[in-house]
Amino acid sequence: MDTVVSRLRSFWKKFGIFFTDGYFWHVQRRFTLRYMRDSGFGRRDNVLEDVIAHNTKEVMNIVINGPQTIEEKVIVRGDLIYLPHFFAVPFINGLLHIITGSTFPRNMYPDLWYLAKQTLLFQRSTNDLGGALIITPWLKSMLPEFSGFKGLSNGNQALLDFFEVIIKDAIETYDEKYDRSFLDIYIRAMKEDMKQNKRSTYSVQQLQLICTDYMFPTATAVEMVLTMLVEQMLMHPEVQEKIHEEIDRVVGRDRAPTLDDRNKMPYTEACIREMMRTETPVTLGVAHRAMVDTKLGGYDIPKNTSVSVNYVSLHMSKDIWGDPESFRPERFIVNGKLQVSSDKSLPFGAGRRLCAGETFARQGMFLVLAMFMQQFKLSTADGKPLKQASKRIQGIITTIPEFWARVTPRY
Ligand code: HEM
């Protein structure tokens, strides 16, 4: 879709993966998926798993051994953790490993928390359809705060700045003799394609937008799903007890959970699935434009019409789920095993525009949650039972306000 929101992200041009289409989108999406795969994206990869596990341990160590800096105290205070940002680092460093071949060490985690904060600001400053700015773009100058323009610009600028520095360094130190990371592979392809093609789809700005597009959900959506699951556990202690029971039975206490345990831990996996069903993260998906005149469900859709999918109606259908309002992970478990075929939810969309990060997100969420729950018991900051879910903030993704939760080491 070509809107003021998509344009303000990308130098008022059409770059990236989310909001491009046609030949440009096809070439650029295929290239990123093909070459990021070499670093473990979209598949099972031991090195990527180690990166996510190592960073999860580092973040948990801030609680176990106490914060060492003022910045760490913004995320951890005694036995209180600040959500969702507490969960951000393993995902962000996982993606940085894929894109840049390196990660930020603990003394630079504050930069990643800042990135997560600004990205969340962007997510909350509009909605799936672009909010008021889409219909009345002039609001951006007259009411920059009210229209969300300021939050969108500031949040987006943080992402652009973050990757501008990284990409500049990669270009300056580029050596065509060997590829250090996905960035080098892209730079080489860009140089070659630009020589051959006057209208190349590759460019430095496009690379910057690829990085921001992949980082955007990595720094917000995955940690928000886990955060909402924490809220569920605070409201329904039996969910937490069942996850603990499963971890103790399958993994024990002498080693950390790994992705090998995912098949053997159907309840934990089902909780993540049920969380994304009951609280659809991207309620109306990403709007796309019809490329040609077409028909959909008996309706004529003229070329250039904006089309959105209402995933909430699917996830809340009484016909499909029977009791859609209940948080009931057991619905996905048959004879003690996760039955993926019984999961008719589509939190990551479907078809050609299927979320490019589904595998990365699902694997990462399982690993971070399992490691976290093995170590800690959760309770509310004030020690009182949580009776009511907090208000939902409908932005591009569904979020809840940041909050502190109490964690007690289990052993
Ligand atoms: C809980 C986590 C996530 C959810 C629920 C989610 C959901 C979605 C949905 C619904 C779409 C739109 C599909 C459509 O256009 O029909 C999408 C697109 C996309 N997602 Fe995700 N996503 C998540 C995490 C991630 C992560 C971690 C990444 C990157 C590492 C990612 C990268 C993308 C990209 C690049 C697209 C655009 C694909 C395209 O238009 O070709 N997502 N996602």
Side-chain angles (χ1 to χ4, degrees):
M1 275 297 292
D2 188 7
T3 64
V4 64
V5 174
S6 62
R7 294 245 169 188
L8 78 82
R9 298 183 66 226
S10 50
F11 322 105
W12 300 101
K13 293 184 190 144
K14 283 169 77 174
F15 287 124
I17 308 289
F18 274 107
F19 300 117
T20 52
D21 51 25
Y23 176 74
F24 184 97
W25 163 80
H26 175 71
V27 171
Q28 293 294 316
R29 171 171 165 133
R30 196 180 51 180
F31 185 89
T32 57
L33 290 183
R34 162 65 191 87
Y35 290 103
M36 280 165 57
R37 196 174 167 79
D38 292 348
S39 314
F41 192 73
R43 64 183 173 90
R44 179 84 195 270
D45 180 72
N46 290 340
V47 182
L48 175 61
E49 188 173 338
D50 283 350
V51 169
I52 296 176
H54 167 75
N55 283 278
T56 309
K57 271 190 203 142
E58 282 284 71
V59 176
M60 293 194 303
N61 275 337
I62 304 179
V63 181
I64 293 164
N65 304 320
Q68 290 171 1
T69 60
I70 294 171
E71 287 92 345
E72 288 188 353
K73 283 185 188 149
V74 175
I75 301 294
V76 175
R77 266 186 219 155
D79 56 0
L80 296 178
I81 59 169
Y82 193 57
L83 295 170
H85 300 318
F86 180 80
F87 289 130
V89 167
F91 295 105
I92 298 181
N93 258 341
L95 188 72
L96 285 177
H97 159 76
I98 289 161
I99 292 179
T100 69
S102 58
T103 57
F104 278 40
R106 179 165 161 182
N107 64 350
M108 292 172 77
Y109 282 4
D111 291 359
L112 305 186
W113 288 321
Y114 175 74
L115 193 69
K117 195 173 147 222
Q118 293 302 104
T119 312
L120 196 58
L121 173 70
F122 182 94
Q123 292 271 23
R124 285 176 176 163
S125 298
T126 183
N127 60 32
D128 294 354
L129 301 179
L133 273 177
I134 295 286
I135 314 160
T136 44
W138 43 267
L139 281 177
K140 71 182 169 57
S141 342
M142 285 185 67
L143 297 167
E145 291 201 31
F146 174 77
S147 66
F149 182 73
K150 198 164 171 214
L152 285 167
S153 304
N154 292 350
N156 192 51
Q157 199 56 48
L159 274 166
L160 290 178
D161 291 348
F162 184 83
F163 281 112
E164 188 180 341
V165 177
I166 291 174
I167 292 170
K168 192 164 172 271
D169 179 65
I171 292 173
E172 280 169 7
T173 56
Y174 173 73
D175 181 343
E176 62 182 20
K177 289 195 213 71
Y178 65 97
D179 296 325
R180 297 162 298 183
S181 69
F182 170 77
L183 289 181
D184 283 352
I185 298 172
Y186 190 95
I187 293 166
R188 184 151 45 81
M190 178 176 73
K191 285 175 186 272
E192 280 164 18
D193 200 64
M194 280 173 157
K195 261 189 239 154
Q196 288 160 15
N197 263 324
K198 266 198 189 142
R199 302 185 60 185
S200 174
T201 58
Y202 295 77
S203 67
V204 175
Q205 288 183 328
Q206 167 61 7
L207 177 56
Q208 205 174 344
L209 259 293
I210 287 173
C211 295
T212 61
D213 273 3
Y214 279 93
M215 184 55 82
F216 180 56
T218 301
T220 51
V222 274
E223 42 277 66
M224 191 47 79
V225 172
L226 296 188
T227 299
M228 288 184 165
L229 187 50
V230 167
E231 189 189 53
Q232 277 297 327
M233 289 190 265
L234 295 177
M235 286 192 299
H236 305 288
E238 70 280 6
V239 175
Q240 169 163 215
E241 278 160 28
K242 285 181 194 165
I243 292 182
H244 280 151
E245 185 282 323
E246 187 170 72
I247 293 175
D248 291 348
R249 178 166 40 81
V250 175
V251 183
R253 297 183 169 193
D254 299 333
R255 66 168 180 89
T258 71
L259 286 179
D260 285 334
D261 299 312
R262 202 169 156 210
N263 279 339
K264 295 173 244 154
M265 292 172 56
Y267 187 78
T268 307
E269 174 68 23
C271 282
I272 298 172
R273 286 173 184 263
E274 183 69 337
M275 197 63 251
M276 291 190 285
R277 183 193 68 76
T278 50
E279 294 288 352
T280 306
V282 195
T283 50
L284 295 178
V286 175
H288 298 299
R289 129 185 111 103
M291 304 289 289
V292 289
D293 290 346
T294 187
K295 268 192 183 293
L296 185 66
Y299 291 94
D300 289 324
I301 311 285
K303 186 179 171 181
N304 286 331
T305 306
S306 164
V307 181
S308 289
V309 179
N310 183 346
Y311 290 106
V312 180
S313 70
L314 168 70
H315 294 168
M316 285 294 137
S317 159
K318 219 169 177 345
D319 293 344
I320 297 175
W321 308 101
D323 58 344
E325 306 291 337
S326 320
F327 182 88
R328 197 167 55 78
E330 288 83 358
R331 71 175 80 241
F332 299 129
I333 300 173
V334 178
N335 294 331
K337 289 209 164 96
L338 183 83
Q339 199 174 53
V340 179
S341 60
S342 67
D343 185 358
K344 306 275 185 243
S345 66
L346 291 175
F348 296 95
R352 276 156 62 90
R353 305 295 302 229
L354 172 74
C355 170
E358 176 173 1
T359 304
F360 174 79
R362 284 197 191 276
Q363 290 182 348
M365 286 191 291
F366 174 83
L367 192 58
V368 173
L369 177 69
M371 290 184 70
F372 174 74
M373 293 304 290
Q374 183 193 42
Q375 289 296 322
F376 298 119
K377 185 175 182 313
L378 283 158
S379 52
T380 54
D382 63 9
K384 294 181 190 150
L386 188 64
K387 294 223 172 74
Q388 222 186 342
S390 56
K391 66 169 177 156
R392 272 44 190 157
I393 304 170
Q394 197 52 61
I396 295 177
I397 60 167
T398 313
T399 65
I400 56 176
E402 292 83 339
F403 68 97
W404 292 92
R406 190 174 303 281
V407 288
T408 315
R410 296 182 63 223
Y411 40 87

